[in-house]
Amino acid sequence: MLSITGVLLRHRLLHFNHPTRFFSAASPHSSHLPLNHPTYMVWSANTSLGKTLVSTGIAASFLLQPPSSSTAISRKLLYLKPIQTGFPSDSDSHFVFSKLDSLSLRHRIPLSISNSVLRSSLSAAESMRYNAEFNENGICNLNFLEEKIVTGAPELLCKTLYAWEAAISPHLAAEKENALVEDCVVLRLLENCLKEEMNGGGKREKTNLLCLVETAGGVASPGPSGTLQCDLFRPFRLPGILVGDGRLGGISGTIAAYESLRNRGYDIVAVVFEDHGLVNEVPLTRYLRNKVPVLVLPPIPKDPADDLSEWFDESQVVFNDLKETMVSAYLERIERLNVMGKQAGEIFWWPFTQHSLVPEETVTVIDSRCGEHFSIYKASDNNSITQQFDGCASWWTQGPDPTFQAELAREMGYTAARFGHVMFPENVYEPALKCAELLLDGVGKGWASRVYFSDNGSTAIEISLKMAFRKFCVDHATLLDICEATEERKHIEVKVLALRGSYHGDTLGAMEAQAPSPYTGFLQQPWYTGRGLFLDPPTVFLSNGAWNLSLPESFSKIAPEPEEYGTFTTRDEVFDKSRDTSILATIYSAFVSEQLQEYSGITQSAHVGALIIEPVIHGAGGMHMVDPLFQRVLVNECRNRKIPVIFDEVFTGFWRLGVETTAELLGCKPDIACFAKLMTGGMIPLAVTLATDAVFDSFSGDSKLKALLHGHSYSAHAMGCATAAKAIEWFKNPETNHNITSQGGTLTLRELWDEELVQRISNHSAVERVVALGTLFALELKADGSNSGYASLYAKSLLKMLREDGIFMRPLGNVIYLMCGPCTSPEICRPLLTKLYKRLGEFNNRA
Ligand SMILES: *[C@@H]1O[C@H](CO)[C@@H](O)[C@H](O)[C@H]1NC(C)=O
Ligand SMILES: *[C@@H]1O[C@H](CO)[C@@H](O)[C@H](O)[C@H]1NC(C)=O
Ligand SMILES: *[C@@H]1O[C@H](CO)[C@@H](O)[C@H](O)[C@H]1NC(C)=O
Ligand SMILES: *[C@@H]1O[C@H](CO)[C@@H](O)[C@H](O)[C@H]1NC(C)=O
Ligand SMILES: *[C@@H]1O[C@H](CO)[C@@H](O)[C@H](O)[C@H]1NC(C)=O
């Protein structure tokens, strides 16, 4: 038996050496949470359903066990109440503290217990008559502590993180008491409290720890900033238990709360509620398909004089059950997380991956995503879940911040429920129609009048090629006539005009439209012939603080001296339309004409039937910025020859480069354009090919054989269309996207990358060139020989260091890049560049 060596109940005011710093709203919360002990959120379908009784019951079940022989492992329960209103008369942490005190006496099992309150509003502090340290935000560091220490006994640690006096919703109390707390501040304190205990509280011996975080009110009750608590706590995505409602009407409330949590990506391991004799557990269990246990507590005595001791005794079986469920769900989760990396390496075939170069321990285990961040599980790091900035925007698709992610998830859920998937040809349904209208009024405005839906970028490109070639043939009718009359089709070859370094997808047809590259070699694609006239493009880049133009070899004979076109002081100069009258424009134009010469005239066997370009940035080709003047000249030259123009905006479209469509940056319009990726915010695959009336008309006739005979099982997928419609509207509305600004009638994104830092990086001796535009920041590392090019592993050590800094990046050879979303705050982008800059220095010293 343990001996009670010294029982003392005392209140004291602690003095912290380091006053807590408060962070501004914009300061992003990038958490690192060890998972080496089970931690649960306690949610509730409504207020007053007995959340705190449930927390208390779990604590009692966990702590008040008769001492076993294995006393070497001490037991500890951490109870956290992040948000408390009605304080001090209401204090859930005090309730748990005092109840466990009396239960411990009743059962003669000694406990070490403490309860502290860390921060409160000024008025709550005053009503406690506490001499607290004040903070300018109206929040005091309260540091109230009551405790009863029994050496060697199991421990209960209760903490209230933030308290307000008024017994109303936290957002109202915070406003009334002039004591606001930002979401990220609440999260940071919560994280620190959890971490402190998880990492052993400074002690070495093994502890059997269980953590409970009890929310305030119902699942969707607002927190102090007004953010719903189910959203506020989402970055940690802690598993939860739901205290349901056993009363009349409680089934609906319980299911609604459960679904609100599931729709936000939470896992709920059990539902528990008070028995009101209505057998609510039967329909709830059926609804949950027996997957989630539903536990029923005996009726709670309503007499305020009842100290509930008997009720707790009576309920002990249920709480034991609940606790077992929580512990075993935790163990299952960790076990699964621990083997996922290995399993993946054994059964997946990853794209663009040489499996022999991926050791098991380097596989990234993604537990979830929250806005721009992955939540990554690391077994080697105290089984922690760490947030890492998704620097590749998951293959350039991602746009949402946490708020918008939740919004899109709801939209998708609704659409799936309403439509599932329905077939498209000759049909119409609201999401598809709405999406098409928005596209034509947005990225297609002023030129497109038809929307063709497909499922991804590569297929959108194939469709665009089919469209362009038909249009070309119709416009060059004599050519078509010759083909049809003489059946000489096989002697007429239709090519595309494309730029070296551009990439239009991995399907066999789309690959024909790219110049030879590491993706097209015989080993990769023996069918490849490269059906194009491929030109080397002039590129622009930032180096040593200036925008430089680099002309390819092919211009060497006709190019002016570099001084005549050389550098630009600002990026805007590069896009300036006045360059159209420059000598360079004339040279470009002459060059393109000369190249097209041998393909014109009907006697030629090869014809250029389409121009296809990735406007402004060549993505997969190494994040090269093509001189926009050159692309504009290309478009004009092709237009003059009735060669249809295709813009591949799969990567560049929808704000990736700071504008909704890069046609705005180039200052010219296509006949056909392809969009995907960010179009749905990156939530679900969907692609479109937009076309002009003239292109559409080239398919009309009275025979089905003249129609565009092409389609996809999931054409105009309702969920994709609904998501796209939502994303298109959200990104360009200044009310939902604060980064949008209107300049002379056109909407653009504000600069997201700190200009001074971008300059500084471009001056770095390890850096060859930089491109910063819209949501993209890219740099090429100085490298030579085998260190450069797509197969290079040169950037590996740099990226490894950056992962330690919480940034997830993948290289394109010796080119590395960061991509944020259209709504990402510059406050998130700045620290990324700072970390990158710092690591470049270390990389340089090592290399
Ligand atoms: C992991 O836990 C140990 C003690 O258990 C602690 O010292 C260390 O800081 C923890 N690491 C992280 C990254 O939290
Ligand atoms: C589109 O899908 C094809 C195969 O269905 C795939 O090869 C290609 O990479 C995808 N394109 C994009 C841009 O994801
Ligand atoms: C940039 O252009 C200037 C002037 O044309 C030239 O002297 C300099 O070498 C160029 N810098 C790079 C990195 O190409
Ligand atoms: C961009 O949007 C975020 C919120 O989404 C906001 O915090 C930030 O201030 C905006 N940036 C600018 C430059 O206004
Ligand atoms: C970058 O280098 C240029 C030229 O050497 C210099 O003018 C500029 O001040 C530097 N910028 C920064 C931010 O260091």
Side-chain angles (χ1 to χ4, degrees), residues 541 543 548 562-563 566-567:
F541 54 87
S543 170
N548 250 32
E563 298 78 65
T567 56

Side-chain angles (χ1 to χ4, degrees), residues 6 15-16 32 98 226 301 404 496 513 584 617 659 673 735 819:
H15 289 285
F16 278 40
H32 179 108
S98 62
F404 191 37
V496 297
L584 201 57
I617 301 277
V659 285
E735 274 170 32
M819 246 176 246

Side-chain angles (χ1 to χ4, degrees), residues 544-546 755-757 759-763:
N544 292 318
E755 279 176 80
E756 206 247 317
L757 260 170
Q759 284 245 343
R760 220 166 351 129
I761 293 175
S762 85
N763 283 0

Side-chain angles (χ1 to χ4, degrees), residues 26 401 736-740 750-752 822-827:
D401 58 5
T736 45
N737 184 358
H738 301 300
N739 290 336
I740 289 288
R750 284 171 228 246
E751 285 300 324
L752 302 174
C823 319
T824 304
S825 153
E827 302 297 323

